[in-house]
Amino acid sequence: MRFVGLLRANLGRHKRRTLLTMASVALALFLFASLRTVVTTLHAASQFGSARRLVTTNATGLVFPLPVAYANRIAASPGVEKVSWANWFGGRYGDGKRFFATFAVDAKSYLDLYPEMSVPQDQKEAFLADRSGALIGRRLLDVFGWRVGQNITLQGTIYPGDWTFTVRGVYTPTDKSINDDAVMFHWQYLDERTGRQGTTGWYIFGIDSAQNAPRIGKAIDEGFRNSSAPTKTGTEQSFNASFATMWGNVSLLMNTIGMAVVFAILLVAANAMMMSARERGREVAVLKTIGFSDRRLFALVLAEAGFITITGAAIGLGAAKVLYRATNFSAGGMLPGFDVTASTLGVGALVALFLMLASGVVPAVRAARLPVVAALRNVE
Amino acid sequence: MALVEIRDVHKSFSRDAERIDVFSGLSMDIEQGSFTALMGPSGSGKSTLLNLVAGLDRPTSGTVQVGGAEVSAMSAGQLAAWRAANVGFVFQQFNLLPVLTAFQNVELPLLLTRLSRRERDERVRIALGVVGLDDRLRHYPRQLSGGQEQRVAIARAIVADPTLVLLDEPTGQLDARSSQEVLALLGRLNEEFGKTIVVVTHDPQVAARAQRQLHLDKGTFIEQASAAGAAV
């Protein structure tokens, strides 16, 4: 504690330089935490899914529909408990700049299969009773300022035209990996307006036991093997993961950019520390003459680097944590549950420690090894 | 009684593959409580001798003992601790830390002791009082005159109550009046507080204050004079 005054005086020697170095470290750690959170959010989304829910899609690809008549045959398969189905709608609202997901679902069975979507009972009943009703995610409702009972008109992209729905309910996910940035409406409404084609995008169904999932999935796919639309069945988790893979190797990209940012800032911080140490060669020599040991000077210089990097890191990581949570950030619904995790904060702290050592050790060693007589002779 | 005992000291430097011998078998004593002036032309070895006594430099061979401790045989860590407790050093260019106040500059050696904050505070005020700057505690070096800066540096050198105070050209950067103030202060430190003072100087006025003048040339004492001015 007795050296705090000396440390503070040295940090305040070039206030602007110290603050800028600190700010650059803060910015680096903020970016690092943000980019890593993209990766952890995508990973969490790909991991979401009940082990007791399976998804069946067209074997040819997700964009190819399946006959809705498959529902009864799937329901009749041994081990299957509840069946529902959903279809990607692809609507947009207003100028279309704000992206969100819209699904046409078999409402009753869908809500039964997803107890993680919490809907007040009266709103749920109102939604089920209104064929043109819509269920809106809490976040999206807030974004557009909609309210229950209001009519909203979406422009269809896959299914052209204006589609008007009445907001009948609001769902709030109990699992933060579930997107609360979406619109759901009745599949029957879609089917009616599209000429009763009787097709859907995919089936979701509950099973009696997670252990039976491979057997049940295989049996269902075998049953449709020779039909006009063969199926592919897998766990809900692998279905979600297939969406995540659509991002390509985002994780590698994000991690690479994050590390590049940290490395760039490391050079800035190291340069600032070196410059600071070089300027103080004479003072280090004087302190040695007074009786400061090499070890103590090493610790003092390293403590300076530590204060700058740790404070900068705390600001950067803290800002990322607080800012994203306070603004309920989700990248326009693309990244539901976007929140800086404890592991990201931990890795960020390690990065800060690395920054401290990498930027502080060289000037600290230089100060410790400075030959007093030569340093004094240079200035005397 | 000799406080400093230098025995058969050799010191050489290498510069651009050339070997420069500064001392070749130098021996001398400095009595406890004495005021010694080291004089001589540039390159004669005055500052090197001061550095050897302060433990800032090591002899190539030979021994340097101060107060019975063999400085020349200590490790770097031991030397740092020894200097903190036993030696006060004053430079020609004051060498105060510009980011610290006069109080904080003087407090620096005490940070290395186990003294409490209150004890440190008390000692710093006493030291600055001795040099007549107890009204400049919160001033930064840039707010002080050259003479005042040097007096703060002297306060820093004596605050830990060392036996030995070493000064390298302490009046070299000062005007005549400030030089006189510093000289009076050195005399007081020697006579009133019993400090052993060794000062490197080119200034005859400073040398005249010393009880003993040693003239160095090419690493050898060519003349010793007492305070009375007679060669001894």
Side-chain angles (χ1 to χ4, degrees):
Chain A
M1 284 302 287
R2 58 182 57 204
F3 295 98
V4 169
L6 183 58
L7 199 61
R8 196 166 47 207
N10 280 329
L11 286 167
R13 180 183 301 261
H14 296 290
K15 285 192 184 69
R16 191 177 301 165
R17 185 197 292 168
T18 301
L19 288 175
L20 286 175
T21 309
M22 215 178 267
S24 58
V25 172
L27 183 64
L29 268 295
F30 179 84
L31 290 174
F32 174 80
S34 304
L35 293 172
R36 193 170 191 276
T37 302
V38 172
V39 176
T40 56
T41 305
L42 283 174
H43 182 70
S46 72
Q47 296 300 303
F48 167 73
S50 167
R52 287 184 56 194
R53 282 196 293 251
L54 298 186
V55 175
T56 295
T57 61
N58 192 308
T60 313
L62 189 59
V63 295
F64 295 95
L66 290 171
V68 79
Y70 282 12
N72 289 335
R73 284 179 62 184
I74 292 172
S77 301
V80 175
E81 292 181 337
K82 295 172 188 167
V83 181
S84 187
W85 59 91
N87 202 92
W88 179 261
F89 176 71
R92 62 181 198 177
Y93 182 74
D95 60 8
K97 286 181 180 169
R98 176 64 165 77
F99 171 83
F100 57 89
T102 309
F103 300 103
V105 300
D106 183 55
K108 173 76 173 68
S109 58
Y110 197 86
L111 290 177
D112 286 348
L113 266 173
Y114 283 96
E116 301 96 326
M117 292 168 61
S118 171
V119 184
Q121 189 58 34
D122 58 329
Q123 293 183 7
K124 185 175 178 180
E125 287 169 5
F127 170 58
L128 293 177
D130 182 359
R131 184 169 282 225
S132 63
L135 194 60
I136 315 290
R138 164 60 61 190
R139 185 198 302 264
L140 197 62
L141 192 87
D142 294 340
V143 165
F144 287 124
W146 294 335
R147 60 186 187 282
V148 175
Q150 179 184 347
N151 282 340
I152 58 170
T153 301
L154 306 186
Q155 289 82 49
T157 51
I158 299 172
Y159 305 97
D162 286 347
W163 294 69
T164 301
F165 305 99
T166 307
V167 177
R168 291 299 179 194
V170 182
Y171 74 89
T172 310
T174 54
D175 184 320
K176 68 178 185 178
S177 299
I178 293 184
N179 190 353
D180 62 345
D181 212 51
V183 172
M184 288 180 202
F185 68 93
H186 293 268
W187 172 86
Q188 287 77 5
Y189 184 47
L190 174 71
D191 191 47
E192 269 177 27
R193 277 199 54 176
T194 54
R196 294 203 179 276
Q197 293 178 354
T199 57
T200 189
W202 63 90
Y203 288 95
I204 314 110
F205 51 95
I207 57 173
D208 55 359
S209 164
Q211 289 178 331
N212 293 332
R215 179 184 59 75
I216 294 170
K218 190 176 176 187
I220 288 171
D221 291 344
E222 284 293 325
F224 294 114
R225 179 186 288 272
N226 295 316
S227 67
S228 59
T231 60
K232 182 183 171 189
T233 302
T235 60
E236 187 183 38
Q237 200 176 71
S238 64
F239 179 68
N240 288 330
S242 70
F243 278 106
T245 57
M246 288 163 68
W247 287 78
N249 206 343
V250 171
S251 298
L252 179 66
L253 186 66
M254 294 291 153
N255 284 325
T256 307
I257 295 172
M259 282 304 157
V261 168
V262 168
F263 185 71
I265 297 302
L266 165 68
L267 296 181
V268 172
N271 187 46
M273 292 304 299
M274 298 265 211
M275 201 184 295
S276 176
R278 259 198 308 274
E279 288 167 356
R280 279 186 275 157
R282 178 185 65 148
E283 290 177 23
V284 169
V286 171
L287 289 173
K288 286 191 174 191
T289 307
I290 287 172
F292 280 66
S293 64
D294 297 351
R295 196 175 295 180
R296 198 176 300 274
L297 285 165
F298 178 90
L300 281 171
V301 175
L302 198 60
E304 268 182 56
F307 181 83
I308 289 172
T309 50
I310 301 298
T311 307
I315 293 169
L317 294 174
K321 179 74 183 170
V322 171
L323 195 69
Y324 292 130
R325 183 168 281 190
T327 58
N328 214 4
F329 179 79
S330 71
M334 307 280 270
L335 297 167
F338 193 90
D339 189 24
V340 179
T341 62
S343 75
T344 296
L345 293 177
V347 174
L350 288 176
V351 168
L353 193 66
F354 170 74
L355 271 177
M356 177 189 100
L357 292 174
S359 64
V361 163
V362 172
V365 167
R366 190 172 285 181
R369 289 187 178 170
L370 184 82
V372 185
V373 174
L376 289 173
R377 193 181 295 138
N378 284 341
V379 293
E380 284 292 338
Chain B
M1 188 178 76
L3 177 67
V4 180
E5 296 174 53
I6 296 172
R7 295 288 176 269
D8 194 27
V9 162
H10 291 71
K11 179 67 185 174
S12 54
F13 296 107
S14 295
R15 188 180 295 161
D16 300 332
E18 184 190 357
R19 181 186 156 108
I20 300 166
D21 292 315
V22 183
F23 300 125
S24 303
L26 182 79
S27 294
M28 69 172 290
D29 289 347
I30 296 173
E31 295 300 310
Q32 180 140 16
S34 64
F35 188 153
T36 305
L38 290 175
M39 302 184 75
S42 295
S44 59
K46 308 182 297 293
S47 294
T48 302
L49 183 58
L50 210 62
N51 291 337
L52 289 173
V53 174
L56 296 174
D57 205 353
R58 293 175 188 281
T60 308
S61 66
T63 61
V64 177
Q65 284 199 357
V66 179
E70 190 171 338
V71 177
S72 47
M74 289 183 190
S75 68
Q78 288 170 327
L79 272 175
W82 174 81
R83 268 199 304 275
N86 297 286
V87 181
F89 208 102
V90 178
F91 306 89
Q92 180 180 358
Q93 291 183 328
F94 326 135
N95 281 337
L96 300 178
L97 270 61
V99 290
L100 301 181
T101 61
F103 182 96
Q104 289 171 318
N105 266 289
V106 176
E107 190 188 19
L108 281 172
L110 300 183
L111 297 179
L112 304 170
T113 67
R114 292 181 183 278
L115 294 176
S116 68
R117 189 187 178 93
R118 211 183 68 183
E119 290 168 322
R120 294 201 305 270
D121 192 89
E122 196 178 335
R123 285 218 193 179
V124 171
R125 286 172 192 279
I126 291 172
L128 280 167
V130 167
V131 300
L133 288 173
D134 43 358
D135 59 341
R136 295 284 191 276
L137 300 180
R138 305 292 165 214
H139 285 60
Y140 286 90
R142 64 178 180 277
Q143 297 169 318
L144 300 171
S145 68
Q148 288 172 328
E149 277 196 77
Q150 193 60 299
R151 279 148 65 192
V152 172
I154 291 171
R156 182 177 67 186
I158 61 171
V159 73
D161 196 22
T163 324
L164 185 60
V165 180
L166 305 173
L167 306 98
D168 196 354
E169 299 275 8
T171 59
Q173 299 279 315
L174 303 180
D175 57 31
R177 187 177 162 194
S178 297
S179 294
Q180 284 305 319
E181 287 172 358
V182 167
L183 282 179
L185 184 57
L186 295 181
R188 202 175 148 214
L189 289 177
N190 176 242
E191 289 158 17
E192 198 174 319
F193 297 95
K195 302 293 175 198
T196 304
I197 293 178
V198 181
V199 58
V200 165
T201 186
H202 284 107
D203 186 346
Q205 280 192 310
V206 177
R209 281 270 181 168
Q211 297 150 359
R212 184 184 180 204
Q213 298 170 10
L214 300 175
H215 290 261
L216 267 169
D217 191 18
K218 294 177 183 170
T220 310
F221 291 115
I222 55 168
E223 183 186 355
Q224 296 189 14
S226 68
V232 291

